[in-house]
Amino acid sequence: MAYDPQPTASHFIDGAYVEDTSGTPIDVIFPATGEVIARVHAATPAIVEQAVAAARKAQVGWARLTGSERGRILRRAADIMRERNHDLSVLETLDTGKPLQETSVADATSGADAFEYFGAIAAGLTGSHIPLTGGDFAYTVRQPLGVCAGIGAWNYPTQIACWKGAPALACGNAMVFKPSETTPLCALKVAEILIEAGAPAGLYNVVQGLGEVGAQLATHDDIAKVSLTGSAPTGKKVYAAAAATMKHVTMELGGKSPLVVFADADIDNAVSGAILANFYSSGQICSNGTRVFVERAIRPAFVARLQERLQSVVLGDPREMETNFGPMVSERQCAIVESYIDKGVAEGATLFCGGKRLDGPGLFVPPTVFTDVTDDMTIAREEIFGPVMAVLDFDSEEEVISRANATPFGLAGGVFTQDITRAHRVIDQIDAGTCYINCYNIAPVEAPFGGVKASGVGRENSAEALNHYSQVKTVYVGMNPVEAPY
Ligand code: NAD
């Protein structure tokens, strides 16, 4: 049975739905039609307090379980998510406007992967034994942080709720998760599923709200860590707020990543990479390679092939399985994208294709490609977060590396070439946390994901994430008489 987009109540706290209609109303809009499909209310300060208190209480008992016991529950949650993949994907499509073709394979499935991976690894969370002089020794214990706050962006609402929740819970923490106000629905289902899988009430709570609710979490004395997925400006605010109470942080922020295509690249592969790096999820992906540097000699062939491939775009109702290109998530995001397109034209780039919002209901901006883009143009410097590709020409390896790195961001970077030594040499010099050689935009749970420079702090996925949701205690053990100077 499909999920009703209107949730039972706005928040999920202590194992149950909770409502407080005195909070600011938030309408949930299906971006393909503009229809209001649900309404939730932002958490009042009292609701946030209730969620944090429930999480504190649940965390104590949860941390006392063995890793295997915790892991079993997380793996059960993964199984339930996989069984419900269709319904979860439909809900995510309604929440975000992303095509069902995408949400069916890249959202709840990726969330389930996270619960499965961290569920499996939970039993292996051990410390180390350190032999010291004269038979003394030390050992380390990996301990949870306490209550962690997760704050999500709107582009992958199910995935983000799980990417933060799974490692946090595996390490023995509890979580209070605030989804983006634009896509509040999916995280509630993650919370429901965890209860069904056997998690204790209060372990994973969801509160709705705008930035001020996130800010309340980021400054709360009883929260030990805040993990944000959002824009770089929000990241700076949350990082600064978290510093006041010395919280641990993970910051998964925006980017303006370079994708470098050398003349010897397999052009079809490179074009596929550029399509994934700019138009998947209608361009609303943080790691997108939006500065596509193409070696001058092959630029005409590259854009010609790109144009041919874009003929296969099926733009339309994202609930239809054949649709492969959906709308922008919100009127606000649509307006931001349109304003960048206007700037591209005004600053002298060549609008190669797309560029005009479609008439009618829905927030559709077709795949847009600019050529003759130069490094100083706004569309080459700022994150657009929409389906706008900037093609820049280059002549030499040295030149392109330096131009690729000339950005405050450092989330991702890619290179397409058939020269294996060049591929590694170039990637080695790209200042980014997540890099791709002859592929783009994959983020499997087995590998670390995250950025450097203004794109963030910390890593999600893989065993690396465990370091960001736990802390190490060192215990020295004296086996000999204690020597003191007097
Ligand atoms: P945003 O920064 O506007 O909001 C992100 C979240 O932060 C929302 O839940 C919002 O309510 C909350 N928030 C806003 N102000 C806050 C404050 N002062 N204190 C606490 N919380 C606050 O971002 P968005 O528009 O929702 O998402 C798009 C951005 O997210 C893009 O920049 C994109 O690159 C980035 N993103 C990054 C990753 C990654 O893994 N690196 C993944 C997805 C999206």
Side-chain angles (χ1 to χ4, degrees):
M1 200 186 72
Y3 288 127
D4 182 349
Q6 177 61 50
T8 311
S10 301
H11 319 290
F12 195 93
I13 298 172
D14 211 6
Y17 276 100
V18 173
E19 190 55 274
D20 179 353
T21 52
S22 65
T24 312
I26 300 171
D27 283 340
V28 188
I29 292 162
F30 179 41
T33 60
E35 200 188 332
V36 176
I37 53 166
R39 169 175 276 199
V40 295
H41 292 266
T44 56
I47 286 282
V48 173
E49 288 305 328
Q50 206 179 319
V52 175
R56 274 192 78 182
K57 194 159 135 260
Q59 193 266 328
V60 178
W62 179 249
R64 283 200 199 111
L65 296 181
T66 63
S68 324
E69 288 167 327
R70 291 197 299 268
R72 206 170 299 141
I73 291 169
L74 302 188
R75 283 184 280 115
R76 217 176 284 143
D79 291 343
I80 300 172
M81 285 190 78
R82 290 222 172 84
E83 282 158 22
R84 310 252 166 92
N85 185 48
H86 178 73
D87 293 350
L88 289 166
S89 305
V90 170
L91 189 67
E92 170 125 347
T93 287
L94 292 170
D95 218 0
T96 60
K98 292 196 295 179
L100 192 54
Q101 194 188 94
E102 286 188 21
T103 54
S104 300
V105 297
D107 292 275
T109 51
S110 157
D113 287 351
F115 278 118
E116 187 169 52
Y117 180 91
F118 289 104
I121 217 171
L125 289 173
T126 56
S128 56
H129 173 268
I130 304 150
L132 299 172
T133 184
D136 288 358
F137 64 95
Y139 62 92
T140 62
V141 186
R142 190 172 281 278
Q143 295 189 317
L145 303 173
V147 178
C148 301
I151 303 175
W154 41 257
N155 59 341
Y156 278 80
T158 313
Q159 182 189 86
I160 294 171
C162 300
W163 279 21
K164 299 191 187 306
L169 270 42
C171 291
N173 304 286
M175 176 153 275
V176 177
F177 186 80
K178 188 201 87 63
S180 163
E181 57 272 32
T182 311
T183 53
L185 305 180
C186 304
L188 292 167
K189 296 298 163 199
V190 174
E192 267 183 41
I193 286 170
L194 277 161
I195 289 290
E196 216 179 314
L203 188 69
Y204 187 97
N205 308 275
V206 176
V207 295
Q208 307 294 349
L210 290 88
E212 62 198 19
V213 174
Q216 196 184 337
L217 293 171
T219 49
H220 200 292
D221 282 336
D222 292 335
I223 286 179
K225 179 199 169 104
V226 55
S227 174
L228 168 79
T229 298
S231 62
T234 303
K236 284 179 191 161
K237 281 190 223 159
V238 175
Y239 201 173
T245 43
M246 207 57 91
K247 293 188 198 328
H248 294 246
V249 296
T250 296
M251 295 284 147
E252 289 290 349
L253 310 175
K256 190 73 197 175
S257 302
L259 176 59
V260 179
V261 182
F262 284 98
D264 68 345
D266 177 310
I267 293 239
D268 257 310
N269 272 342
V271 168
S272 295
I275 287 171
L276 291 175
N278 284 272
F279 302 135
Y280 200 72
S281 294
S282 299
Q284 302 165 113
I285 298 183
C286 52
S287 49
N288 271 357
T290 46
R291 289 182 295 144
V292 182
F293 291 94
V294 182
E295 196 163 350
R296 199 176 302 274
I298 59 153
R299 201 254 275 182
F302 179 88
V303 291
R305 189 69 188 116
L306 179 63
Q307 193 171 34
E308 277 168 27
R309 296 277 299 273
L310 291 177
Q311 303 308 311
S312 310
V313 166
V314 182
L315 180 153
D317 187 334
R319 292 166 296 189
E320 301 296 335
M321 215 45 191
E322 59 276 13
T323 299
N324 59 24
F325 192 90
M328 296 282 90
V329 76
S330 65
E331 188 64 56
R332 181 171 169 269
Q333 191 59 24
C334 206
I336 290 173
V337 172
E338 283 185 284
S339 80
Y340 276 111
I341 293 172
D342 291 346
K343 278 183 196 151
V345 172
E347 292 177 20
T350 304
L351 184 59
F352 181 73
C353 65
K356 199 166 159 18
R357 178 177 170 170
L358 305 188
D359 293 336
L363 305 166
F364 290 94
V365 178
T368 297
V369 178
F370 279 102
T371 55
D372 304 312
V373 179
T374 53
D375 297 355
D376 56 332
M377 291 179 184
T378 310
I379 57 166
R381 288 187 289 109
E382 296 181 11
E383 183 183 49
I384 300 175
F385 224 57
V388 183
M389 183 193 298
V391 177
L392 303 100
D393 304 329
F394 76 92
D395 296 299
S396 80
E397 184 180 312
E398 198 184 10
E399 169 211 334
V400 79
I401 292 167
S402 128
R403 289 172 60 198
N405 287 336
T407 167
F409 295 109
L411 186 54
V415 57
F416 276 86
T417 173
Q418 301 202 54
D419 178 340
I420 189 169
T421 49
R422 165 179 270 168
H424 292 287
R425 188 170 61 234
V426 171
I427 280 299
D428 184 52
Q429 294 173 80
I430 296 290
D431 299 333
T434 308
C435 289
Y436 302 97
I437 294 175
N438 292 334
C439 60
Y440 207 85
N441 258 357
I442 47 173
V445 69
E446 294 86 352
F449 181 86
V452 300
K453 295 170 38 183
S455 292
V457 173
R459 291 292 176 271
E460 294 196 313
N461 288 342
S462 83
E464 276 291 325
L466 301 170
N467 297 325
H468 301 286
Y469 283 99
S470 60
Q471 55 200 347
V472 171
K473 174 185 272 186
T474 307
V475 181
Y476 293 96
V477 181
M479 302 292 286
N480 298 287
V482 178
E483 280 180 27
Y486 50 84

